[in-house]
Amino acid sequence: DFSVNGTAGAHLLATVGASRRNFLSTTVSDFDVYVSLTADQLATGDFLAGGLTARYVDSDNLYSAQVRFTTANEIQVVIIKRVSAIETILGTYTSGFTFVASTYYRMRFRLKGTSLKAKVWLATTTETPEWQVSVADSSLVSPQFLGFRSIAGSGNTNVNPSILYDDYAVVSPQLFTVTRSINGVVKAHSLDDSLQRGGPLLAGRHDLAARPRRRRPGDARRRQHALPQPLLREVERLQHGGGARPRRLD
């Protein structure tokens, strides 16, 4: 029921109502995840679904954002929760797409605190800016696992359909290495403290050097001191109301 074909991973749904799942362990509970997915058949009898999961504890306790391929060839985005084996639909959205078998659709699922958001778009086009489903729920808090989940509705009559997955990406959180105290300054931070810069990032040195210098009072006078003294006295006389009558300068 689990395979790869050289370009994608697949869940074979040979039994209706029985989910297929793959997971990665994690220590974080908030995330932002993408995946491209499709079904290799048009749904008959009942929907075919695949999608992303998070805060997965076991098959009976999890959040999932699903793409459902319906018998009307519609594409729905559904956020569900399963708590103690009881499944609840938290939100749903029917897109304007007509499903074409084996055509990939891109999905994004974001969970932060009690906020769960999901959206879907054609994988060959630009990501839609709006979240299509946005709900709040606080039932599950454990980070344990995130991954994929596929299922065929209980009335589905397809013969051995598959849900295929490609281009999985976890864009948040990202892990990186910090080298501390390069400048010799040591400052303690508590676990989970939010760290921010004390000021804005500056452009490169060449940009700063190219910026025009602000003129300050006295600049003109300092430049005038380079003039011959007789001409400088005449300029100062005119600036102080000495009249504009021409005079010969020696």
Side-chain angles (χ1 to χ4, degrees):
D1 295 345
F2 305 89
S3 65
V4 293
N5 62 12
T7 60
H11 286 166
L12 178 66
L13 303 178
T15 305
V16 299
S19 65
R20 300 290 180 265
R21 304 172 301 278
N22 289 96
F23 296 101
L24 300 171
S25 62
T26 182
T27 59
V28 295
S29 55
D30 295 340
F31 68 92
D32 196 351
V33 184
Y34 290 79
V35 74
S36 296
L37 71 163
T38 189
D40 65 351
Q41 301 178 29
L42 299 178
T44 58
D46 207 346
F47 67 83
L48 297 170
L52 296 159
T53 62
R55 297 187 187 172
Y56 177 97
V57 179
D58 53 39
S59 60
D60 292 328
N61 296 275
L62 58 91
Y63 286 121
S64 179
Q66 294 181 341
V67 173
R68 290 189 176 183
F69 307 107
T70 74
T71 56
N73 296 330
E74 295 175 330
I75 296 177
Q76 295 180 337
V77 185
V78 181
I79 294 180
I80 68 166
K81 69 174 178 180
R82 284 179 63 84
V83 177
S84 300
I86 298 175
E87 187 167 307
T88 304
I89 294 178
L90 299 176
T92 184
Y93 173 84
T94 301
S95 75
F97 299 116
T98 299
F99 176 58
V100 177
S102 299
T103 296
Y104 279 91
Y105 298 85
R106 190 81 170 149
M107 179 179 211
R108 184 178 181 183
F109 186 25
R110 177 188 289 175
L111 195 158
K112 184 173 183 180
T114 61
S115 172
L116 297 87
K117 298 180 179 182
K119 54 181 167 178
V120 67
W121 63 99
L122 191 63
T124 55
T125 62
T126 304
E127 178 179 351
T128 179
E130 71 277 1
W131 292 102
Q132 296 157 345
V133 181
S134 182
V135 298
D137 190 81
S138 59
S139 301
L140 299 166
V141 296
S142 172
Q144 302 210 16
F145 301 95
L146 58 86
F148 314 99
R149 181 176 183 267
S150 306
I151 193 168
S154 59
N156 184 269
T157 57
N158 288 88
V159 178
N160 294 331
S162 291
I163 303 296
L164 294 92
Y165 296 91
D166 196 11
D167 294 329
Y168 179 69
V170 180
V171 297
S172 178
Q174 294 286 335
L175 299 180
F176 57 93
T177 301
V178 176
T179 302
R180 297 174 60 89
S181 306
I182 292 178
N183 61 355
V185 177
V186 178
K187 183 179 184 299
H189 296 282
S190 300
L191 182 64
D192 294 330
D193 270 359
S194 175
L195 302 180
Q196 298 179 351
R197 287 183 54 83
L201 291 172
L202 295 177
R205 184 182 301 272
H206 61 282
D207 289 334
L208 297 178
R211 186 177 301 169
R213 186 169 66 91
R214 179 178 297 176
R215 182 173 294 178
R216 293 173 296 180
D219 279 1
R221 180 176 294 276
R222 280 189 291 273
R223 285 194 298 272
Q224 290 170 5
H225 287 169
L227 298 174
Q229 285 299 315
L231 183 57
L232 177 60
R233 287 194 297 271
E234 181 65 11
V235 170
E236 290 179 341
R237 185 184 69 81
L238 294 174
Q239 288 177 338
H240 289 84
R245 181 174 58 85
R247 75 181 275 196
R248 181 174 175 177
L249 301 177
D250 297 327

